[in-house]
Amino acid sequence: MSTDNRSQQQQEEPWSSENSAFPVIPPDSTMRNSLQSPSVSSSSLSSSITSASSAALDVSSIRGNISDQAKRRVMDMLAYYTGAKEESFGVEIARRLQMRSMNVWAASPGNMTARMSRRATEAQTIFDITVTKDMCNPYGTLHGACACYIVDPCSMSAIVVLGAALGVDATGVSQSMNLIWHRPAKIGTKLRAVSTSIFIEGRIRTARVEIMDAETDRLYVSAIHSTIGPKPESEGRVAKL
């Protein structure tokens, strides 16, 4: 079963906030409406960048078992990190990323500990983007650096979704990124980036990303991205020049 199929099957059940940390972003009734409108085009980062406020951002085309409020928060975060200004690096590519879904799940029964029981332990986000000329190398295939750029915000989205479910700030800056290029993605290929959280504890956050063909599931790039959160002010002095 593909990762995308898993999200489609599980997203119909909204995440329960009972006895968990999830009341930070509880599911609401509008989630059902979004699931009944699959033909609506997915929300892109450009919608979040150009929106006047978070409340005005239309996320009805983004599937998943978290609330519309939570989806807007994640989209606003992505808009900030990918750059709201025209001169920001890669902003034109970032604006073409289309969010398809956001989901959180509890650990599987065989891997659930008493400490984490009934709490979200995994988050997944899915983005689509089509390979265009400005994303390619001289051979007409997805440039390696562009693949890295796609991994960055996509992986962060899964980390932030899980952090919100657990009631913690999961934002941070990159610590390491390991990519494997399995095969070239030619210009015109519609890509699907499936990002899944792996670890959030203390200041360390990690997620994996698989960039595949949206139609055939052929894997092009896989990656592991680790980030580190800001140090609390109580843990040390602010550096001075």
Side-chain angles (χ1 to χ4, degrees):
M1 178 185 297
S2 69
T3 309
D4 192 32
N5 290 336
R6 176 197 176 189
S7 66
Q8 290 177 359
Q9 293 177 2
Q10 296 194 21
Q11 68 192 359
E12 296 182 359
E13 298 182 5
W15 176 263
S16 173
S17 61
E18 182 181 359
N19 298 327
S20 76
F22 201 73
V24 177
I25 47 175
D28 60 23
S29 60
T30 58
M31 190 270 292
R32 289 290 180 184
N33 295 331
S34 68
L35 296 178
Q36 297 171 357
S37 305
S39 61
V40 181
S41 61
S42 300
S43 295
S44 63
L45 295 189
S46 60
S47 301
S48 184
I49 292 172
T50 58
S51 63
S53 65
S54 178
L57 178 61
D58 181 13
V59 294
S60 61
S61 62
I62 302 175
R63 302 191 302 262
N65 64 359
I66 66 175
S67 70
D68 284 358
Q69 179 185 9
K71 293 172 185 176
R72 292 188 186 99
R73 290 178 183 175
V74 174
M75 295 300 289
D76 282 343
M77 179 280 300
L78 290 172
Y80 175 80
Y81 278 101
T82 54
K85 296 182 178 180
E86 294 291 343
E87 63 270 20
S88 297
F89 177 80
V91 67
E92 291 302 323
I93 295 174
R95 288 181 173 180
R96 296 200 293 271
L97 284 167
Q98 295 182 314
M99 173 73 83
R100 289 175 52 86
S101 65
M102 304 182 200
N103 284 283
V104 293
W105 297 295
S108 59
N111 192 35
M112 185 180 291
T113 63
R115 181 176 66 86
M116 294 299 292
S117 178
R118 300 181 65 83
R119 295 186 66 188
T121 56
E122 182 179 280
Q124 184 186 91
T125 60
I126 298 177
F127 285 87
D128 282 353
I129 188 170
T130 299
V131 179
T132 53
K133 185 177 180 179
D134 60 340
M135 300 166 62
C136 291
N137 56 33
Y139 303 103
T141 60
L142 180 68
H143 197 291
C146 188
C148 294
Y149 181 73
I150 293 173
V151 166
D152 191 7
C154 291
S155 59
M156 279 297 299
S157 66
I159 293 171
V160 169
V161 168
L162 179 58
L166 297 175
V168 300
D169 177 7
T171 59
V173 296
S174 294
Q175 183 183 50
S176 67
M177 185 182 292
N178 181 34
L179 280 81
I180 300 175
W181 285 267
H182 302 280
R183 55 172 58 90
K186 297 180 179 180
I187 188 170
T189 302
K190 184 177 182 180
L191 302 176
R192 176 158 299 156
V194 180
S195 305
T196 308
S197 63
I198 296 176
F199 181 87
I200 294 182
E201 187 170 320
R203 296 170 58 203
I204 305 300
R205 305 85 160 86
T206 307
R208 68 177 182 270
V209 181
E210 295 167 304
I211 301 177
M212 61 189 72
D213 192 298
E215 298 178 354
T216 66
D217 286 343
R218 285 167 56 89
L219 183 64
Y220 294 111
V221 180
S222 58
I224 299 291
H225 184 202
S226 291
T227 66
I228 185 167
K231 180 184 294 185
E233 294 183 2
S234 59
E235 291 188 10
R237 297 181 180 180
V238 177
K240 296 182 180 180
L241 296 177

